[in-house]
Amino acid sequence: MLAKKPLPLQSFLVQVSRRASQLARQRYDVIVVGGGHAGTEAAAAAARVGAETLLVTQKIHTIGALSCNPSLGGVGKGQLVREVDALDGLCGRAGDWAGIHFSILNRRKGPAVWGPRAQLDRQRYREFIQSELLSTPRLTVVEGSVEDLLVTEPNPEEPGRHRVTGIRLANGSQSISASSVVLTTGTFLSGSLFIGQTTSPGGRIGDAPSSAGLSQTLRETLGLRIGRLRTGTPPRIVKDSVDLSLADVMLPDSQPTPFSFLNTHTRCKPEEQLPCHLSYTTPGVDRVVRESLHLNSHIQEDTKGPRYCPSIESRVLRFPGRKHQVWLEPEGVTSDLLYPQGLSMTMPPDMQLRLIREIPAMHRAEIHTPGYGVQYDFVCPTQLSPALQVKRTQGLFLAGQINGTTGYEEAAAQGLWAGVNAARWALSMPTVALSRTESYIGVLIDDLVSRGVTEPYRMFTSRAEFRASLRPDNADLRLSLKGFEEVGCVSSVRYQEAVRVRNSLQEALAALKALALSTSNWRKKLPNVHLSEAKNSTQTGLNLLQYTEVSFEMLASAFPECLSAYMEFSQRLKIEAVYRHHCNLQKKEIERIQREENMSLPQDLDYFSLPVSLSQEVREILDRVRPSTLSAATRLQGITPAAIVHLFNYVNYSGQKERRAHRNQPDQKEAREEEPCSQNVSLPR
Ligand code: FAD
């Protein structure tokens, strides 16, 4: 099953602008500001949960635009795409529709850390996202720039706690109210663009930044701490001007692997996929970087840029004389442009041309659009709850680059979760959190809200403690069932499919376990497999499947009567068998964290007067971040294991006291005499 064909772009524009001019409602449950990767997922998720939703974005034709590299997924990021898909988000299906070069990265390592990735056709991706939004019930899309938030004064009983009640469109033209607002303004908040020594206001080339009013309200009225980050993008190169015969050819996988659990194949047939090419920098590139440094304002700034996707200037300065990879990637099936990944740069355009011509395959290349840098404000994400709601402001949710992340996948994942929670908040349902024990999305959000960011944050598999359990192959079982049963963002079609898969896998695993044979009998059944076990030991089919040389197909052809019904799941069963032991080992640790996660820390705790032994520094960190659970507190930088024990004891003690009071037991005296810190409870770390 492949996603339905998207509507042509033109049709989307006509229908959206018609809706915009007829904006009937003046009140919505949820308003999402920004139609980038976070905003589109947020709007679609909020509507799926059941909220009347309005998406307001500066330019409708840029909805779903890939501002930088037209690619999706990769190591760590591919896991996020699969999880967004499992929660019924858009980007996985859009990637399958628009993909032109599919590959699984990290194949030399275990399948838990494989990174599904695809190079995309920009136009097709946008068309798909726009078409999906248009056909989403309860969602209205409007073109416009949000000038400011509508904010009520704090309630005298909750000092400092404002409530967001809607938005005002540019030029004071219209105010629209909503129970919750999701801000997903990306790099547009006080955005400045840099090329050479020229700086101009902008969120992206060709796009104005967000209004100053929005930044001012966040900073001054709502009192949020704001930081500044930067990123950059390479020049786009005219394809015909590049001699690709001088670069290495990189072929896609012979069998494309779809991102979406609903798609059994991609739109692009294996033979229609396009190659990518790999080239390298030369000493001439280093020379041009050095000669242009005094003309390059962006590189001279102190603001932090993306460490893992650095500009060519940063690479040359950090690793002088080193040969750097330059990937020459197609921008689409019919596009005349190439994207030179690895050559993000901000020097003047004439120097950019000199630099690219120092690379053999590009010795006569022409630049279509120069590279540029952008600096922007972000909101320090420790001010958010795990629902991505601003802690001190009711009804305001933030997602995407505004929270200090970089990347489409990180933005999409947060967008989906903020949209879900904004809708639940608006519909008076409790907000929900994802744990780092169940998803990479949980890891991402927990890292942001507990630790904050000091540089643009991107996902890596190494950030997840439970990689063996959080695999790309099982995201549907981890999230689609929960997404339907507990969260409300998953359709019944996807849910039914996940239930079918879960039941089939359980049956197949039971059938494999039931196949218990002695080693000598296994040898007879699988004569080509080298089995070194002791003579009379008995092994199950599931044990056998853990051997590198044993495939599910081999077992199914030896026992067709009980296994052939499950051939469709052969790869998933193999992976399940390989990681079974490891997952069982992790189970205890996961249960411990889940217990700690259930121990919530009251949001109104006065950390400065807690009668426990905490240093001033620890109190300040806890007061600033206000972790929502004990588990989140353990991950804060600067919080010692001893501090966690004291906190545990205190919260545990207060909980007991409260429970006793609730039961109306007359043991108040005993409780008063009890010293919270004196309990000798130690927490495993
Ligand atoms: P965006 O995709 O930026 O979307 C923001 C949306 O909000 C836009 O549609 C905008 O029009 C709209 N908007 C803003 N303000 C308002 C307003 N007041 N009213 C209405 N609408 C508004 N990622 C990487 O992984 N690696 C990279 O190397 C990389 N380089 C990048 C280089 C550049 C120059 C840029 C701009 C981005 C780069 N990215 C990179 C980042 C990637 O594009 C973003 O991380 C991702 O797009 C963020 O998604 P988002 O939804 O948060 O914001």
Side-chain angles (χ1 to χ4, degrees):
M1 181 192 344
L2 182 64
K4 62 185 183 296
K5 189 174 184 307
L7 291 168
L9 191 57
Q10 209 47 41
S11 156
F12 177 81
L13 296 183
V14 171
Q15 295 196 46
V16 168
S17 50
R18 194 184 301 137
R19 283 192 196 189
S21 61
Q22 298 170 348
L23 188 61
R25 285 169 167 266
Q26 290 301 309
R27 179 171 178 80
Y28 286 81
D29 293 323
V30 176
I31 295 176
V32 177
V33 182
H37 302 269
T40 49
E41 294 289 354
R48 286 201 303 281
V49 170
E52 275 304 331
T53 304
L54 175 70
L55 170 63
V56 188
T57 194
Q58 283 176 335
K59 291 181 181 169
I60 47 180
H61 70 270
T62 63
I63 287 178
L66 299 151
S67 325
C68 203
N69 190 356
S71 76
L72 192 71
V75 180
K77 288 169 172 268
Q79 272 83 342
L80 286 175
V81 176
R82 295 217 112 201
E83 291 184 0
V84 168
D85 180 69
L87 290 165
D88 238 352
L90 314 176
C91 66
R93 284 176 294 129
D96 289 344
W97 183 261
I100 50 177
H101 177 117
F102 289 84
S103 56
I104 299 280
L105 307 186
N106 232 7
R107 258 204 208 270
R108 272 177 301 168
K109 301 204 175 137
V113 292
W114 284 356
R117 181 189 189 274
Q119 197 63 29
L120 306 174
D121 181 302
R122 279 186 196 281
Q123 171 92 348
R124 284 185 188 171
Y125 189 85
R126 265 195 299 149
E127 280 175 5
F128 186 94
I129 296 283
Q130 296 185 359
S131 159
E132 279 290 310
L133 292 186
L134 192 63
S135 56
T136 301
R138 294 180 290 277
L139 175 60
T140 305
V141 183
V142 166
E143 182 169 283
S145 191
V146 171
E147 191 169 75
D148 212 343
L149 295 171
L150 303 178
V151 176
T152 58
E153 285 306 309
N155 180 336
E157 283 165 24
E158 292 181 285
R161 233 177 154 215
H162 290 83
R163 186 188 183 103
V164 166
T165 58
I167 53 149
R168 195 172 60 244
L169 291 173
N171 310 323
S173 56
Q174 199 173 5
S175 293
I176 309 170
S177 43
S179 303
S180 50
V181 172
V182 188
L183 272 189
T184 67
T185 49
T187 48
F188 288 65
L189 215 54
S190 306
S192 309
L193 306 181
F194 290 75
I195 305 183
Q197 290 173 301
T198 311
T199 308
S200 55
R204 202 162 46 194
I205 209 147
D207 290 324
S210 283
S211 82
L214 204 49
S215 302
Q216 205 174 338
T217 298
L218 294 176
R219 197 190 295 266
E220 289 171 18
T221 312
L222 303 182
L224 294 174
R225 282 193 316 281
I226 307 278
R228 198 130 174 100
L229 292 171
R230 67 174 179 185
T231 187
T233 195
R236 307 305 193 262
I237 310 294
V238 177
K239 190 158 103 188
D240 284 349
S241 67
V242 179
D243 185 353
L244 290 173
S245 69
L246 297 178
D248 302 336
V249 184
M250 295 290 147
L251 295 175
D253 289 351
S254 55
Q255 198 51 50
T257 308
F259 287 109
S260 174
F261 288 97
L262 291 187
N263 294 346
T264 50
H265 62 279
T266 57
R267 173 186 178 186
C268 204
K269 296 191 189 110
E271 64 278 12
E272 288 169 357
Q273 291 190 77
L274 302 178
C276 292
H277 291 81
L278 178 60
S279 191
Y280 294 91
T281 59
T282 59
V285 167
D286 285 36
R287 211 170 37 246
V288 179
V289 166
R290 288 178 192 289
E291 282 174 23
S292 61
L293 278 182
H294 65 292
L295 303 171
N296 194 337
S297 312
H298 196 240
I299 199 74
Q300 290 161 10
E301 299 271 337
D302 280 344
T303 315
K304 284 270 182 163
R307 180 154 39 129
Y308 306 104
C309 197
S311 64
I312 187 64
E313 292 98 332
S314 314
R315 287 174 186 221
V316 164
L317 295 178
R318 218 163 138 212
F319 306 106
R322 194 183 280 186
K323 206 163 116 176
H324 300 281
Q325 288 186 336
V326 177
W327 290 90
L328 299 168
E329 300 182 306
E331 292 237 333
V333 176
T334 55
S335 171
D336 300 330
L337 303 181
L338 283 180
Y339 179 93
Q341 195 200 327
L343 287 187
S344 161
M345 60 179 87
T346 53
M347 60 188 68
D350 57 326
M351 300 299 270
Q352 295 194 17
L353 188 65
R354 264 186 66 194
L355 185 147
I356 60 160
R357 289 186 173 180
E358 293 291 343
I359 295 168
M362 293 199 276
H363 64 285
R364 288 209 193 99
E366 294 295 341
I367 289 180
H368 177 270
T369 320
Y372 65 96
V374 56
Q375 287 192 13
Y376 53 95
D377 282 353
F378 75 101
V379 176
C380 302
T382 49
Q383 301 165 103
L384 306 177
S385 74
L388 293 175
Q389 182 170 21
V390 176
K391 287 181 198 165
R392 287 166 52 120
T393 308
Q394 295 185 3
L396 180 61
F397 295 77
L398 308 182
Q401 197 126 355
I402 191 174
N403 289 342
T405 60
T406 178
Y408 312 133
E409 305 78 0
E410 289 80 353
Q414 293 170 68
L416 186 146
W417 206 242
V420 158
N421 278 306
R424 292 179 64 90
W425 168 269
L427 301 174
S428 304
M429 294 190 268
T431 57
V432 280
L434 277 173
S435 155
R436 57 194 301 133
T437 61
E438 66 189 335
S439 62
Y440 274 74
I441 303 180
V443 172
L444 164 71
I445 294 177
D446 185 59
D447 281 350
L448 293 177
V449 305
S450 307
R451 297 178 184 171
V453 299
T454 51
E455 60 188 3
Y457 177 103
R458 68 155 286 185
M459 182 46 76
F460 292 106
T461 52
S462 56
R463 296 195 192 271
E465 297 85 344
F466 304 110
R467 291 186 286 281
S469 313
L470 310 185
R471 305 189 306 264
D473 66 282
N474 67 6
D476 54 345
L477 300 190
R478 290 185 277 119
L479 297 173
S480 297
L481 304 170
K482 173 174 177 152
F484 181 82
E485 291 163 1
E486 296 170 35
V487 180
C489 64
V490 166
S491 70
S492 60
V493 173
R494 187 180 288 269
Y495 177 67
Q496 297 304 338
E497 175 60 7
V499 169
R500 181 186 78 85
V501 171
R502 179 195 60 193
N503 293 348
S504 304
L505 285 173
Q506 281 173 354
E507 282 168 23
L509 290 170
L512 284 164
K513 275 189 208 160
L515 278 178
L517 269 66
S518 67
T519 306
S520 55
N521 280 339
W522 275 118
R523 285 201 184 105
K524 284 180 205 149
K525 283 284 184 187
L526 304 173
N528 297 329
V529 176
H530 175 71
L531 293 173
S532 56
E533 297 303 313
K535 244 187 190 170
N536 291 322
S537 71
T538 300
Q539 296 204 64
T540 67
L542 197 52
N543 296 140
L544 263 274
L545 199 49
Q546 290 171 18
Y547 284 66
T548 314
E549 68 267 45
V550 178
S551 66
F552 183 80
E553 286 80 354
M554 289 160 82
L555 294 173
S557 66
F559 298 95
E561 62 293 348
C562 52
L563 295 181
S564 60
Y566 308 110
M567 283 303 290
E568 137 187 35
F569 302 108
S570 59
Q571 194 187 25
R572 289 186 72 156
L573 288 163
K574 173 77 188 171
I575 297 174
E576 209 51 61
V578 168
Y579 284 102
R580 230 174 120 250
H581 178 62
H582 210 81
C583 289
N584 285 341
L585 289 179
Q586 284 185 347
K587 224 172 172 178
K588 272 217 167 90
E589 180 69 357
I590 289 178
E591 281 164 7
R592 177 185 72 81
I593 293 193
Q594 282 168 347
R595 267 198 313 277
E596 286 177 13
E597 263 163 358
N598 288 336
M599 181 173 272
S600 41
L601 297 174
Q603 285 305 290
D604 55 355
L605 263 190
D606 181 358
Y607 286 104
F608 291 107
S609 62
L610 276 195
V612 293
S613 166
L614 296 175
S615 71
Q616 186 62 15
E617 190 196 350
V618 163
R619 287 175 196 273
E620 277 168 15
I621 297 170
L622 291 168
D623 181 67
R624 182 161 40 79
V625 179
R626 305 213 143 264
S628 50
T629 62
L630 189 71
S631 183
T634 63
R635 290 185 288 277
L636 295 180
Q637 250 168 28
I639 300 293
T640 58
I644 292 295
V645 172
H646 292 317
L647 258 186
F648 173 86
N649 287 336
Y650 177 80
V651 177
N652 201 25
Y653 166 76
S654 325
Q656 282 171 11
K657 215 167 104 178
E658 220 167 77
R659 283 191 293 278
R660 275 194 211 116
H662 201 66
R663 287 200 303 266
N664 207 16
Q665 287 182 352
D667 56 358
Q668 302 293 325
K669 185 168 177 287
E670 191 191 319
R672 248 199 322 272
E673 281 162 4
E674 215 173 324
E675 255 301 305
C677 307
S678 64
Q679 293 177 31
N680 191 18
V681 179
S682 69
L683 277 182
R685 295 267 300 155

